[in-house]
Amino acid sequence: MTDRSGTSATTASGFGTSGATGPARAANTARTAVVWDALSQLLSRLSDGEPLEIVDAGGGTGGAAVPLAELGHRVTVVEPSPDSLAALERRAAESGVTVRGVQGETQDLASLFPADSADLVLVHNVLEYVDEPAVALADVAGITRPGGAVSLLVTNAVAGALHRALAGHITDAQHLLSDADGRWGEADPMPRRFTRQQLLELIGHSGLTGESVRGVRVFADVLPGHAWEGDAQAGQHLVDLERAAADHPELIGIATQLHAIALKH
């Protein structure tokens, strides 16, 4: 479990884009704004003015954890990579916050945290890589308190097929659509992708209730580079477009990622 978001610091919109400039910065902001919008609303609902207990399973170098700590919440990152945990410590120190880093996998959650103790658990870009997603999500549910929530971010299989076809790999795209794991072949670096229905079924089997599924990066990953030329407001326009597309019933299906908020009752 590692931080695969590519983010590196916080911005006004949430997760970071430090180091990026111009079009790259704008694109990064568009890719994270939808998730941060949903998390901001969720944090307001879960919090009664007190800091929340948040666990970031597979949080890597703190791309999500540090912004959450900056909001005053108590955040623990569970991550198997010592290098990522060291980078997390540096990032937190640079931001003037404390984030607890613990080496471990999703299977270690029950031994690391009391049952029903976390207000919110983040599982972003993790279920694609674990051996058994259903078991991993059940472990996550076990440490989530009743009334708490789980934020899930996964790679969309349908978008994977679209992107392979746009890149000219037609047979790969066809194979991906019929593959149970959403892979286009043996050389595919992604171990697993999910459809919207698969994600909802996974949530249901874990004992959680899928409250919503939104599309993330509907346009940001397919927009041609020349779209940025001559438009100083293109970045904000793209953020606005991504926010509008996130809940569009037809566009969710082609988003690069699916973001689900699941509740524990």
Side-chain angles (χ1 to χ4, degrees):
M1 300 186 300
T2 59
D3 175 12
R4 301 177 177 87
S5 65
T7 59
S8 56
T10 58
T11 69
S13 299
F15 304 135
T17 55
S18 178
T21 58
R25 184 181 182 87
N28 285 340
T29 300
R31 292 183 179 108
T32 59
V34 168
V35 176
W36 185 251
D37 286 349
L39 286 180
S40 296
Q41 295 175 19
L42 180 61
L43 292 170
S44 297
R45 288 167 46 193
L46 293 176
S47 176
D48 57 0
E50 296 296 321
L52 296 174
E53 296 290 343
I54 300 177
V55 175
D56 190 351
T61 63
V66 169
L68 291 169
E70 289 179 329
L71 292 176
H73 301 294
R74 292 185 289 268
V75 188
T76 300
V77 169
V78 180
E79 165 63 41
S81 167
D83 290 342
S84 292
L85 289 174
L88 163 67
E89 184 176 0
R90 292 192 297 271
R91 174 183 280 182
E94 290 170 357
S95 297
V97 297
T98 298
V99 176
R100 179 185 174 214
V102 180
Q103 190 169 2
E105 304 271 0
T106 51
Q107 64 192 19
D108 302 314
L109 293 175
S111 63
L112 294 172
F113 304 94
D116 303 336
S117 62
D119 297 300
L120 172 63
V121 183
L122 271 58
V123 189
H124 292 180
N125 307 306
V126 169
L127 294 183
E128 296 92 331
Y129 297 90
V130 298
D131 292 334
E132 298 180 83
V135 173
L137 192 52
D139 290 334
V140 167
I143 67 167
T144 307
R145 69 164 174 83
V150 176
S151 173
L152 294 161
L153 187 65
V154 301
T155 304
N156 182 10
V158 177
L162 174 63
H163 295 168
R164 292 305 287 175
L166 290 174
H169 304 289
I170 307 300
T171 57
D172 285 354
Q174 183 175 356
H175 183 275
L176 192 154
L177 287 176
S178 62
D179 186 77
D181 289 326
R183 306 184 72 224
W184 50 257
E186 290 299 321
D188 191 342
M190 182 72 71
R192 188 182 297 104
R193 295 178 182 84
F194 298 88
T195 64
R196 185 181 183 187
Q197 185 59 37
Q198 286 173 330
L199 178 58
L200 289 172
E201 290 176 356
L202 192 62
I203 291 171
H205 292 159
S206 71
L208 301 169
T209 301
E211 183 183 49
S212 63
V213 177
R214 308 183 79 203
V216 178
R217 294 156 58 183
V218 175
F219 295 104
D221 290 346
V222 296
L223 195 67
H226 63 73
W228 305 99
E229 296 175 2
D231 186 354
Q233 300 299 316
Q236 184 58 50
H237 292 162
L238 179 56
V239 170
D240 294 341
L241 178 61
E242 288 288 346
R243 284 173 166 150
D247 293 311
H248 194 291
E250 304 301 330
L251 292 175
I252 292 172
I254 63 169
T256 298
Q257 293 178 306
L258 302 172
H259 183 227
I261 298 297
L263 305 179
K264 183 174 180 179
H265 297 290

